Amino acid sequence: MATIVMESIGRVFISLQQIRQVPQLLTDAAPSMPGTVRDTEVPSYFRERYVCTGYRPLNQNWRYYFLSLFQRHNETLNIWTHLVAFLVLLIKLCQLTETVDFISDRHSWPLLILVLSSLTYSAFSVVAHLLGGKSDLAHYCFYFLDYVGVAQYQYGSAVVHFYYAVDESVHGLVSGIFMPTATILSCLSCLGCCYGKYCNHSLPTWVRKVCQVVPSALAYSWDISPVAKRLFFWSSSDPAIIYHFGQVAFFLSCAFFFTCPLLERCFPGRCDFVGQSHQIFHVFLSCCTLCQIHASYLDFVGRRKLYSSLHGSGDAVLFVGLYVVTLIMCVGIAALMLRKVKQVLDFKSKSK
């Protein structure tokens, strides 16, 4: 009996030794990763205000940038915040499919647009922060893709608010113009963000912020307007109202942190890895999206009689078509701006 016990203890001891060797084995198996560099070693338009270190070197192979998902640098948490959000949204979509018939029920299509657009913007954000450090051209290409994701999410926000959350009186005033205007504002938001990024070559950083924030603020103001009356005259019997308040509060918070690098300014150089305002912006934006999806789901369930009378079955098809148009137009805008960036980069390359 003692022999059996000793043999068992020996096997456990050997297993613990093997487990202890796992980190070293992973380190030996992984390719050597170049260290990060200071802000002075990357182009000016790669730099974030008050973030001094943790930049990945340019012009490494693609494998390096993919593996930097597990490296400590100043984009690590920007990547992981939206990667986790993407996975949470994917789980949320799976949960919704258990109770919502997204195929046969056309009234559910605006909700599906919101969820898909949320998954798209979070995925594009991950790609931009993960791969945008590869080169000058890759930086612009992937961030323009990120702005396409943001713009099509703005359309997704508009369609659920107009379809499920709108009151009869408000619907009568804007029914013919609301969604076409949402498409135009989404495209203007994409154009403003891309142009602001493009202007980094010649104009101050604040110009980029103005170009990004003003069109996005106009789009959000329009998109949230169908909910405004319910927010002003809220009732405790409305199960979705707390989530609508939540999405507005989270949006205003993330807008503040997007425009104001508060912590970096107060503690320059100490927020290079954790504590950047953009990281907080990502977290609040993800919380805003989750509140928005749940509020829209509650409206989809609880206000069916109202929105069924306001919207015919053809409206959902029309709004899906407008979503596709919005996406195509935003991709076209990004492609046009990328062409301008290529011209600038080619000119700089030839002038050296």
Side-chain angles (χ1 to χ4, degrees):
M1 182 68 179
T3 304
I4 296 174
V5 172
M6 291 303 294
E7 288 178 353
S8 300
I9 293 173
R11 283 195 294 269
V12 170
F13 181 72
I14 293 172
S15 299
L16 290 175
Q17 283 185 319
Q18 292 172 338
I19 292 172
R20 201 175 299 162
Q21 293 173 357
V22 168
Q24 185 62 43
L25 291 172
L26 291 173
T27 301
D28 295 340
S32 58
M33 298 280 282
T36 57
V37 298
R38 292 190 61 83
D39 53 350
T40 53
E41 300 177 66
V42 297
S44 59
Y45 42 86
F46 278 67
R47 303 171 195 167
E48 293 296 332
R49 287 181 294 171
Y50 312 108
V51 177
C52 306
T53 62
Y55 294 91
R56 290 166 294 174
L58 275 68
N59 301 316
Q60 305 297 311
N61 58 49
W62 286 107
R63 187 182 186 188
Y64 164 70
Y65 295 100
F66 280 106
L67 289 176
S68 71
L69 178 66
F70 307 103
Q71 184 188 22
R72 178 189 171 103
H73 51 82
N74 60 26
E75 290 282 19
T76 303
L77 292 184
N78 286 328
I79 297 165
W80 278 97
T81 46
H82 269 169
L83 181 58
V84 171
F86 177 85
L87 296 175
V88 171
L89 290 168
L90 204 57
I91 293 170
K92 184 67 175 178
L93 176 60
C94 294
Q95 291 174 341
L96 288 173
T97 57
E98 296 176 359
T99 57
V100 181
D101 183 2
F102 285 120
I103 298 176
S104 302
D105 185 3
R106 290 187 178 184
H107 288 304
S108 69
W109 290 358
L111 181 60
L112 182 61
I113 290 174
L114 174 63
V115 179
L116 293 179
S117 65
S118 301
L119 285 166
T120 301
Y121 92 73
S122 55
F124 286 1
S125 174
V126 169
V127 170
H129 288 286
L130 182 64
L131 304 179
K134 173 73 168 76
S135 65
D136 293 346
L137 185 60
H139 181 77
Y140 284 98
C141 179
F142 289 121
Y143 276 95
F144 286 174
L145 184 67
D146 186 21
Y147 302 148
V148 171
V150 171
Q152 56 88 43
Y153 168 63
Q154 290 172 341
Y155 179 90
S157 300
V159 72
V160 290
H161 293 155
F162 179 67
Y163 205 94
Y164 304 128
V166 71
D167 283 333
E168 190 172 2
S169 57
V170 177
H171 179 271
L173 294 173
V174 299
S175 59
I177 62 170
F178 188 87
M179 290 313 303
T181 303
T183 292
I184 294 170
L185 291 175
S186 295
C187 293
L188 286 177
S189 176
C190 182
L191 177 61
C193 290
C194 291
Y195 183 74
K197 191 71 170 175
Y198 167 76
C199 283
N200 270 2
H201 278 286
S202 56
L203 297 176
T205 303
W206 66 266
V207 175
R208 182 187 72 177
K209 293 297 183 182
V210 169
C211 290
Q212 291 174 334
V213 170
V214 172
S216 296
L218 289 173
Y220 183 77
S221 299
W222 182 258
D223 298 344
I224 198 66
S225 59
V227 190
K229 184 177 179 181
R230 287 172 63 188
L231 293 176
F232 281 119
F233 303 101
W234 63 277
S235 169
S236 57
S237 61
D238 185 348
I241 197 65
I242 186 66
Y243 295 100
H244 283 303
F245 274 118
Q247 66 151 319
V248 172
F250 280 125
F251 179 84
L252 294 176
S253 300
C254 71
F256 171 78
F257 282 103
F258 180 79
T259 54
C260 302
L262 182 64
L263 295 178
E264 301 96 308
R265 181 178 293 170
C266 295
F267 308 101
R270 297 184 182 181
C271 301
D272 292 355
F273 175 65
V274 61
Q276 296 173 34
S277 295
H278 199 82
Q279 297 165 358
I280 301 172
F281 158 73
H282 273 200
V283 173
F284 281 146
L285 182 59
S286 301
C287 293
C288 171
T289 301
L290 290 171
C291 283
Q292 188 179 50
I293 291 173
H294 194 63
S296 299
Y297 171 71
L298 292 175
D299 285 341
F300 166 75
V301 173
R303 293 165 62 90
R304 191 173 185 92
K305 183 177 180 181
L306 174 61
Y307 66 72
S308 296
S309 65
L310 295 177
H311 304 288
S313 59
D315 286 359
V317 178
L318 174 62
F319 297 156
V320 170
L322 273 177
Y323 174 66
V324 174
V325 169
T326 302
L327 191 57
I328 292 172
M329 290 178 66
C330 289
V331 170
I333 290 168
L336 179 63
M337 294 305 301
L338 187 62
R339 183 179 177 182
K340 293 178 71 66
V341 167
K342 283 183 179 180
Q343 292 173 350
V344 172
L345 294 177
D346 289 343
F347 177 79
K348 284 192 170 185
S349 177
K350 291 177 182 177
S351 62
K352 287 184 179 179

